[in-house]
């Protein structure tokens, strides 16, 4: 048993100063005061000293086994180092392949999911990569989702990007329909994660899907929604109509110069414009390549996404005056709902004990995953 004392609990709704009792990997109780003497066994005790305590973050789009490498084989990005996720308060990850669905495989992605689980984190993944028809594990998207436990949807499928396979609307509709039915039959989210590129069509292929499939908004999860102003405007329309939109926190100065809207700024504007922020998620795109191309489409350099960017954007949101409980939603309750991760994303009795204790500078100081302390002050 673990007893976390004097925690300023954000569940993410603020609960005030409380003690949390953890056992068997889950939260057993959250109360203003839990007396050690009254417990059946002597717990380990951590004193949070009045610092903010939040749910562990759900990073819903991470190239856990590496992703991309648009400058040639020597630029292939490396797989995720578990410490870099923990340092960013991430306890749940959804792995994706990416641009390269040939040299990188579903087998490799799934192996990394198992590696993260063995290390104590929670991890799932999507089947497929940028290109349609998608690469799968069992030659069938539906079989992958239904029969392979960690696979909860399909993605990331690229649209409106110079690296996409130019999927037809019929191909996309079939893919979405299959993912949804497989999700229904297996009790999983069955979502389809769409990579949105820079091309002017932006989210048009998704709006088209929503016209023919009345459930589209419940299973489509478009990402990189702040990539440029036009795409961002479409994302606002999508969210206003009840669709979820994902904003990428990893960035480089060139992206900002090209008109990228940061996740924190998008959150601020959604609040100001009265768009329900329940439809916003954030993800890091960690270990994904962030390639730069010149105006002729020639590759000109590449950096790598990081989980740490989630903390950077969280702090930016706080600096904009957004309350902590609101800024936490795109990293906790919102992705948990969209991805049907029922025991994740909030602090309540019965939820998995995925917990971050922040220091006063809002850096994760101690990270608990499934009730185990995996990251703590040196
Ligand atoms: Zn992407």
């Amino acid at each position: 048993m673990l007893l976390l004392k004097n925690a300023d609990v954000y569940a993410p709704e603020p609960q005030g100063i409380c003690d949390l009792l953890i056992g068997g990997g889950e939260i057993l109780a959250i109360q203003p005061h839990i007396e050690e003497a009254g417990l059946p066994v002597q717990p380990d005790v951590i004193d949070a000293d009045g610092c903010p305590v939040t749910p562990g973050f759900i990073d819903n789009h991470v190239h856990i086994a590496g992703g991309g490498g648009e400058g040639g084989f020597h630029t292939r990005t490396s797989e995720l180092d578990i410490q870099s996720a923990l340092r960013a308060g991430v306890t749940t990850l959804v792995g994706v392949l990416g641009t390269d669905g040939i040299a990188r495989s579903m087998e490799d992605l799934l192996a990394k999911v198992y590696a993260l689980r063995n290390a104590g984190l929670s991890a799932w993944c999507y089947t497929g990569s940028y290109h349609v028809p998608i690469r799968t594990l069992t030659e069938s998207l539906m079989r992958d989702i239904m029969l392979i436990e960690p696979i909860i949807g399909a993605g990331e499928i690229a649209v409106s990007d110079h690296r996409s396979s130019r999927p037809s609307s019929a191909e996309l509709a079939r893919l979405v329909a299959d993912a949804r039915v497989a999700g229904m039959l297996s009790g999983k989210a069955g979502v389809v994660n769409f990579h949105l590129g820079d091309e002017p069509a932006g989210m048009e292929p998704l709006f088209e899907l929503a016209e023919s499939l009345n459930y589209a908004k419940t299973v489509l999860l478009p990402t990189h929604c702040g990539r440029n102003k036009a795409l961002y405007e479409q994302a606002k329309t999508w969210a206003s109509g009840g669709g979820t939109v994902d904003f990428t926190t990893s960035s480089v100065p060139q992206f900002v110069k090209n008109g990228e809207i940061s996740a924190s700024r998008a959150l601020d504007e959604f609040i100001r414009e009265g768009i329900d922020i329940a439809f916003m998620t954030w993800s890091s795109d960690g270990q994904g390549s962030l390639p730069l191309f010149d105006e002729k489409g020639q590759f000109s350099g590449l950096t790598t996404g990081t989980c740490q960017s989630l903390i950077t954007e969280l702090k930016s949101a706080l600096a904009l005056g957004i309350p902590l409980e609101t800024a936490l939603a795109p990293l906790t309750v919102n992705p948990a709902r969209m991805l049907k991760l029922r025991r994740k994303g909030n602090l309540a009795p019965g939820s998995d004990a995925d917990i971050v204790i922040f220091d006063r500078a809002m850096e994760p100081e101690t990270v608990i995953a499934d009730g185990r302390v995996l990251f703590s002050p040196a």
Side-chain angles (χ1 to χ4, degrees), residues 65-208:
E70 284 85 338
F73 290 123
H74 63 291
T75 66
R76 281 158 55 91
T77 67
S78 58
E79 66 176 55
L80 178 78
D81 158 40
I82 289 159
Q83 287 301 312
S84 70
L86 290 171
R87 265 200 306 276
V90 174
T91 54
T92 296
L93 299 108
V94 181
V96 295
L97 280 177
T99 324
D100 179 0
I102 300 295
R104 300 187 192 268
S105 68
M106 281 306 300
E107 287 83 350
D108 197 27
L109 184 66
L110 199 56
K112 185 66 182 183
V113 166
Y114 293 135
L116 293 170
R117 288 182 175 189
N118 284 352
L121 293 172
S122 295
W124 286 274
C125 67
Y126 296 137
T127 183
S129 60
Y130 267 30
H131 294 155
V132 179
I134 64 168
R135 279 279 296 277
T136 62
L137 203 61
T138 66
E139 307 293 322
S140 151
L141 179 159
M142 291 189 71
R143 288 173 71 94
D144 274 18
I145 294 176
M146 286 188 64
L147 303 177
I148 314 290
E149 181 271 318
I151 298 180
I152 57 171
E156 67 174 310
I157 314 293
V159 293
S160 305
D161 191 288
H162 59 105
R163 292 163 290 174
S164 89
S165 59
R166 313 276 146 195
S168 68
S169 24
E171 282 179 307
L172 292 181
R174 171 69 187 272
L175 205 148
V176 171
D178 284 356
R180 173 174 172 267
V181 173
M184 285 165 59
L185 293 172
S186 57
K188 296 178 181 175
V191 296
V192 182
N193 187 216
F194 279 99
H195 160 105
L196 301 169
D198 244 335
E199 292 178 348
M203 286 182 70
E204 272 168 32
L206 276 62
F207 282 105
E208 205 178 306

Side-chain angles (χ1 to χ4, degrees), residues 14-26:
Q15 312 275 302
I17 301 289
C18 290
D19 295 347
L20 286 86
L21 185 64
I22 294 155
E26 67 178 63

Side-chain angles (χ1 to χ4, degrees), residues 203-262:
M203 286 182 70
E204 272 168 32
L206 276 62
F207 282 105
E208 205 178 306
L209 283 171
E211 266 172 37
S212 57
L213 310 172
N214 64 348
Y215 53 77
K217 293 227 166 100
T218 64
V219 289
L220 300 192
L221 181 56
T223 189
H224 316 317
C225 287
R227 187 188 282 279
N228 61 50
K229 183 82 176 121
L231 193 55
Y232 174 60
E233 290 303 324
Q234 289 178 318
K236 285 202 277 191
T237 305
W238 184 261
S240 301
T244 299
V245 288
D246 186 62
F247 286 81
T248 303
T249 54
S250 288
S251 184
V252 293
Q254 187 66 35
F255 292 177
V256 180
K257 218 176 117 204
N258 294 347
E260 184 184 55
I261 288 87
S262 69

